[in-house]
Amino acid sequence: MKKVLSMLLLAAITLTLFGCAKNDDVPDGMQLARGGEAYGYYMYAPEEWTVSNHGDISAAYASAVDSSNISYIEIAPPSGTVDEYFKSGLDEFREAPTMVEENKAITFGNADSAVKYVFDHKYDGHSFRTMQVFTKYKDRFGIFTFTSPMENMTSPDLKQYEYYLDKINLVIENFKYTEKKGETSADEPEIDSDGYKLISDKSTARFSLYVPSEFTVKNSSGMVEAFLPDGSNISMSRATTTGIAIDEYWKMRKADLEAIFGTVTEVAEPKAVSLGESSRAFAYEYTFNYDGEAYHVYQVYGVTFLDGFVFTYTAKEENWSKHFDTVQKIIDKVTY
């Protein structure tokens, strides 16, 4: 495993934002990112962040324009010392990181022991600061990572890393290990009468999404994502911001996209459509260019009595029309 660098880059910026439901056990200002006896721990994230768990990695990030992120993963304990393990991963950086803190013992939730490293580094022309904590609980070994830009994005007085530090310390303080009582399920997915497979976990996503067998699932928790061999992909999630009109949500969304990709061109007028049992839904169709490629997007915003949802289909321009009828059928099968 690419030990250090892989953990810094795992939280890719996605194009659809969502929120998660809270419950009474969640600390104030936080949301449950992942937890349960199957995982052997509970990890919380700032409530305004987006949960982006993938496989064995529990993760969350700040927003589409703020790449601040946290992650946690458990791996086999290293054969040498933690310090040797950490330093062996620094060779992966093109430029040697600048150390801020090294091998500092800290309290990490109810872990038996934990040591922290903080270092500055550059990626794609931008400066970042990373905190990495290596934890031990009984015979288990975990890696917690917090990475954030060293830029004044939210506060004129604080770099983004410093701006979030109090919240990240709450994440660390509230991390809770439990005994594992079984692994996460790898059961066969539910298949409907058309042969479409269920790829969402309704308990976290709050909707059911079915896709044809040729789709590969990337994530099935809060944000549900799947893609085709040619890279075309769909995603669906709960909307981050509710209580505003759909057209206002789209304006916010478009501004976020333009901050990343530059010009976003609407290629069709918004139109009323169906998205599961939404009381109302509107579709937006637009294009943008990224890294020399033209992309085409069909996005549906739906509103139920309690929630808002966003469904997105994205493909390179030359592939967009060939999958559109299938995407329409996927949309028709959505239930809440």
Side-chain angles (χ1 to χ4, degrees):
M1 182 183 103
K2 294 289 188 180
K3 295 178 285 294
V4 178
L5 189 57
S6 297
M7 299 305 299
L8 306 186
L9 304 182
L10 65 91
I13 295 176
T14 53
L15 297 181
T16 307
L17 307 180
F18 68 97
C20 293
K22 283 181 67 76
N23 62 55
D24 293 338
D25 297 326
V26 177
D28 288 344
M30 311 290 278
Q31 61 176 314
L32 180 64
R34 174 174 277 173
E37 293 177 341
Y39 301 102
Y41 62 85
Y42 290 82
M43 185 178 93
Y44 302 95
E47 63 182 352
E48 71 275 16
W49 284 27
T50 297
V51 175
S52 53
N53 299 331
H54 181 63
D56 294 333
I57 301 170
S58 301
Y61 64 91
S63 76
V65 295
D66 177 358
S67 60
S68 301
N69 65 86
I70 58 173
S71 66
Y72 177 81
I73 187 171
E74 290 189 2
I75 63 171
S79 56
T81 67
V82 169
D83 194 55
E84 290 170 340
Y85 179 81
F86 170 78
K87 289 179 178 177
S88 69
L90 296 180
D91 293 338
E92 299 163 11
F93 290 89
R94 292 182 180 178
E95 296 182 34
T98 301
M99 298 306 302
V100 179
E101 290 185 67
E102 289 190 62
N103 206 18
K104 180 181 179 180
I106 66 167
T107 299
F108 187 89
N110 63 335
D112 295 330
S113 63
V115 292
K116 180 177 74 171
Y117 294 79
V118 179
F119 54 94
D120 293 335
H121 54 99
K122 292 185 180 294
Y123 176 72
D124 198 24
H126 296 278
S127 296
F128 295 87
R129 177 165 289 180
T130 289
M131 173 200 300
Q132 199 149 49
V133 183
F134 298 90
T135 70
K136 293 182 180 179
Y137 178 77
K138 298 189 176 180
D139 60 348
R140 294 155 55 188
F141 184 79
I143 306 173
F144 174 83
T145 306
F146 164 50
T147 297
S148 191
M150 288 298 284
E151 301 174 12
N152 298 86
M153 300 174 65
T154 305
S155 166
D157 302 318
L158 297 172
K159 304 296 187 185
Q160 209 66 354
Y161 179 94
E162 298 161 338
Y163 177 79
Y164 287 121
L165 194 54
D166 286 345
K167 292 186 177 184
I168 301 309
N169 286 332
L170 285 175
V171 173
I172 291 172
E173 178 185 329
N174 286 283
F175 196 100
K176 181 182 178 182
Y177 286 101
T178 66
E179 299 305 311
K180 285 188 177 182
K181 295 184 179 179
E183 300 297 322
T184 51
S185 173
D187 293 339
E188 289 297 316
E190 176 186 327
I191 305 296
D192 74 1
S193 58
D194 293 321
Y196 281 44
K197 59 186 178 183
L198 177 66
I199 65 169
S200 59
D201 179 353
K202 194 172 182 179
S203 65
T204 54
R206 300 179 72 169
F207 56 83
S208 296
L209 185 67
Y210 292 82
V211 299
S213 59
E214 60 265 28
F215 277 82
T216 298
V217 181
K218 180 180 179 183
N219 191 46
S220 61
S221 55
M223 170 180 283
V224 181
E225 303 171 88
F227 60 91
L228 289 163
D230 65 10
S232 303
N233 63 85
I234 63 164
S235 66
M236 186 168 173
S237 64
R238 293 175 62 203
T240 308
T241 306
T242 57
I244 62 173
I246 290 176
D247 61 337
E248 291 299 318
Y249 190 93
W250 161 245
K251 290 177 183 177
M252 294 168 54
R253 167 81 179 154
K254 186 178 180 183
D256 286 342
L257 290 167
E258 289 181 331
I260 304 170
F261 302 113
T263 302
V264 173
T265 303
E266 296 181 58
V267 296
E269 291 292 323
K271 62 179 180 180
V273 294
S274 296
L275 180 63
E277 300 150 347
S278 302
S279 58
R280 61 187 183 281
F282 285 85
Y284 292 79
E285 189 177 335
Y286 57 90
T287 61
F288 63 88
N289 289 286
Y290 176 67
D291 198 23
E293 292 277 2
Y295 290 86
H296 199 140
V297 179
Y298 181 77
Q299 197 157 54
V300 181
Y301 299 85
V303 178
T304 66
F305 180 71
L306 294 174
D307 291 301
F309 295 91
V310 184
F311 177 94
T312 306
Y313 164 51
T314 305
K316 291 182 178 179
E317 188 65 69
E318 65 265 26
N319 297 326
W320 191 84
S321 60
K322 71 174 70 171
H323 305 303
F324 188 68
D325 288 345
T326 299
V327 169
Q328 287 290 337
K329 191 167 184 178
I330 291 171
I331 291 171
D332 291 342
K333 290 176 174 288
V334 170
T335 60
Y336 302 112

